[in-house]
Amino acid sequence: MCRMNLKSNQRGFVLIEFAIALPLLILLLYTLGSVNLKIWDIAKKQVADYVLETEAQEIIDRITTDARAAYSVEVEKASSLGDFETVNFVCHTNSVGKNDSGFYDTFSQRIYTVDNADGKNFHVYFKRNTGDAHNNPLTGDNSYGDTVVRQLTFSKPAEKVLHVTIKLESLVTGQSVKFSTAVFMPACKEFKI
Amino acid sequence: MLKNERGFMLLSVVFLTLIVSLAAMILMNTQAKVQQRNSTLRLTAINLANEQFALLESNSGATIPAEDLKSGDVDFKVETSLSGGELITATVKVKWTFKNQPQEIKFQKIIRVIHSD
């Protein structure tokens, strides 16, 4: 008797429980999924911003380090490319290996340009000398956050002082950073700007 | 059996609320970090200090361009003090405000002023 009553009371229980639990489960999974996606999106933006800052600061550091040791500096306006300029540093070196004529080079070059070699976005490139076939990209094409250069300009605020400004924009977050600094070039004999 | 299940709904709602609250707390915490941009301002301040050192080394009397002293809504204030003879100890302080909190970095560099030819 008792067994029969129990069965009678339990009739439809699983269906009702399922009807209550399933929407709750869906709601719970949806909420957790949304939060998870949001956190992932935030993390992606954080990393992209980190890449943006790092790339901009790296360009500033490289240019100022090369400028500090430069024997001569030549800045050229990169025509029709936007707010960009090319800087060519010539530095004294003890020896950088034999050249084609069998002599040791006593100068080396550091050339920074902005170009859109990929046909889409402008990036900063680096060459070791004018004849260097390798135009090494210094910005962009980073898996963690692609960037594009908006400005790379130079000025001469004082004698033997190179002022550099770079502006980079993240293609992930749309944020941009602009860094400016100056470097004194004690060994600089020629400064064309 | 049904008697034992009493409170099932209540317990589910409590757990659901707890889990969602926890997720929201994590989200809010992460969101705050995204808005944290003091690292960029700090880099700007370091660049400003280096800029000041370069101008001091050139001994030209040139000053930092006004646009370099501003980053968005944030204004930077650069203070310089010099001491010494032939070798000058230059101290550069850069101050700015972030979320109503005063920020400051201080650099010192021993420089030899080279007079232009």
Side-chain angles (χ1 to χ4, degrees), chain B residues 88-102:
Chain B
I88 294 171
T89 303
T91 307
V92 175
K93 277 185 193 173
V94 185
K95 295 178 179 177
W96 71 99
T97 305
F98 180 72
K99 288 183 178 174
N100 298 322
Q101 294 291 315

Side-chain angles (χ1 to χ4, degrees), chain A residues 6 9-10 13 17 20-21 24 27-28 31-32 35 38-39 42-43 45-46 49-50 52-54 57 60-61 68 151 157-161 163 165 175-184 186 189, chain B residues 1-2 5 8-9 12-13 15-16 19-20 23-24 26-27 30-31 33-34 37 39-40 43-44 46-48 50-55 57-60 62-63 65 67-68 71 109 112 114 116-117:
Chain A
L6 197 67
N9 286 340
Q10 278 189 306
F13 171 71
E17 187 187 48
I20 295 167
L24 279 175
L27 186 66
L28 181 69
T31 311
L32 287 177
V35 169
K38 186 73 182 169
I39 289 173
I42 289 168
K45 286 178 178 171
Q46 274 184 315
D49 280 348
Y50 172 75
L52 181 71
E53 272 181 21
T54 308
Q57 188 58 33
I60 287 273
D61 287 343
R68 187 76 185 173
Q151 184 186 359
E159 196 64 28
K160 295 186 177 184
V161 176
H163 182 271
T165 301
Q175 295 227 55
S176 60
V177 293
K178 185 179 178 183
F179 289 143
S180 295
T181 194
V183 57
F184 180 64
K189 299 294 180 193
Chain B
M1 190 82 178
L2 275 174
E5 297 285 340
F8 169 75
M9 278 284 288
S12 298
V13 170
F15 276 139
L16 188 69
I19 290 166
V20 172
I26 294 168
L27 186 69
T30 320
Q31 190 77 45
K33 280 179 186 166
V34 166
R37 303 294 303 156
S39 60
T40 314
L43 277 175
T44 305
I46 292 168
N47 287 325
L48 271 175
N50 284 329
E51 192 172 356
Q52 182 72 337
F53 282 129
L55 295 173
E57 279 187 276
S58 76
N59 196 28
S60 62
T63 53
E67 61 177 31
D68 289 4
S71 176
K109 191 174 184 180
R112 184 166 67 91
I114 298 176
S116 54
D117 299 331

